[in-house]
Amino acid sequence: MRLSGKVALITGAASGLGAAAVERFIAEGCSVGLCDIQETEGRAFAAQFGDKAIFIPCNITDEDSVSNAVDTVVKQFGRLDVLFNSAGIVGAVGPLAQTPGAEWRFTMDVLLNGSFYCMKHAARVMQPQGSGSIISMASTAGIMGGLGPHAYTAAKHAVVGLTKSGAAELAGSGVRVNAIAAASMATPMVANVLTGDPADIDGAIKVLAEASPLRGRAGLALDVANAALWLASDESAYTTGHTLTTDAGITVGATAAGPAFAEYQPMIREAGQSGIPD
């Protein structure tokens, strides 16, 4: 019961990473407000948890919708201890010269502006409380280049930056701000990219496991939910401004093939010589 008595708001809660976090948080004693634009799926999912969960239709690109979601959670449960910004899309895909401006702007609306609105309205509740944990989904594409489409990469880099600046501002109020940089995890969004079918989670797991630096081990939604659980709990009470990776070591150069120079050979020296000098 690591979140006993706490209240969380989770966006993108009807599926994928958000849904995994809902299940994990509630299992640890949390009450949760589920936000999503997928109303039918969200209401049905929230109904499984009785009075521990409510569903709130929310479009994170609309600030008024986000403000209403925060107010609804506070009205229902009396406070807000955790915000998990999980909602996301792949967004605009393609070369720089061929990316439509409208698709770029919409991607930024979802991945960056939506995260900002959620942080803003969580902060207005958490600061007077003197406590709270704000968690946003970044990505390995927010730490490195070449791992995602241009708009996605730019937005996730910005989320990492917003996490740092938000943490610096809110620390004095007792509010912590952190992010999670995940690699491709076995979720409907990733399954759609890898297999063409968002429901083919098993197919995605197979593809991801083959490419994983941790041989045979795909990244799962539960891995991210567990990371979010730690950041939401008091176990991370001295951690803020941090971007926690769930990536099997990809951002430190780990690959399925293993590192270069993994086998012993005599020391390489200048001008093609080897071994220790006589």
Side-chain angles (χ1 to χ4, degrees):
M1 304 301 287
R2 294 154 72 186
L3 299 182
S4 179
K6 293 187 183 293
V7 176
L9 175 65
I10 299 177
T11 68
S15 63
L17 303 178
V22 169
E23 293 178 334
R24 195 76 182 88
F25 281 25
I26 290 176
E28 293 290 342
C30 195
S31 298
V32 180
L34 288 71
C35 289
D36 211 298
I37 59 173
Q38 302 177 85
E39 290 197 37
T40 301
E41 297 87 345
R43 292 188 189 283
F45 187 45
Q48 299 177 29
F49 304 104
D51 61 4
K52 295 294 289 184
I54 58 169
F55 176 74
I56 309 154
C58 181
N59 180 349
I60 62 168
T61 67
D62 179 348
E63 185 176 357
D64 289 341
S65 183
V66 171
S67 179
N68 173 69
V70 170
D71 290 343
T72 301
V73 168
V74 173
K75 182 177 180 180
Q76 176 73 19
F77 297 116
R79 58 187 295 112
L80 177 63
D81 300 289
V82 181
L83 164 70
F84 182 27
N85 281 321
S86 177
I89 59 173
V90 174
V93 177
L96 285 170
Q98 297 174 24
T99 300
E103 291 188 10
W104 173 276
R105 289 188 291 274
F106 184 79
T107 304
M108 290 296 171
D109 270 346
V110 175
L111 298 179
L112 177 56
N113 296 340
S115 293
F116 165 71
Y117 298 146
C118 290
M119 283 188 186
K120 171 183 175 178
H121 289 283
R124 70 171 166 82
V125 172
M126 292 176 177
Q127 283 184 287
Q129 283 179 180
S131 65
S133 175
I134 295 172
I135 308 160
S136 296
M137 280 309 304
S139 168
T140 52
I143 299 175
M144 298 174 64
L147 297 181
H150 297 301
Y152 187 89
T153 298
K156 293 302 186 179
H157 270 75
V159 168
V160 170
L162 184 59
T163 294
K164 293 176 181 179
S165 62
E169 178 195 340
L170 299 178
S173 301
V175 179
R176 298 182 296 111
V177 187
N178 294 287
I180 299 171
S184 293
M185 315 301 277
T187 63
M189 187 172 80
V190 172
N192 186 58
V193 172
L194 295 179
T195 74
D197 179 2
D200 188 9
I201 302 299
D202 288 341
I205 289 174
K206 181 178 180 180
V207 174
L208 293 171
E210 291 174 354
S212 174
L214 291 171
R215 293 184 182 277
R217 173 63 157 83
L220 307 175
L222 181 59
D223 294 316
V224 173
N226 284 333
L229 171 62
W230 182 71
L231 291 172
S233 75
D234 293 338
E235 295 166 13
S236 61
Y238 206 61
T239 299
T240 193
H242 179 59
T243 297
L244 175 62
T245 59
T246 57
D247 71 346
I250 289 171
T251 52
V252 296
T255 67
F261 302 105
E263 307 262 335
Y264 172 75
Q265 58 181 301
M267 182 180 70
I268 302 171
R269 290 170 37 220
E270 74 283 355
Q273 299 186 68
S274 63
I276 296 176
D278 294 332

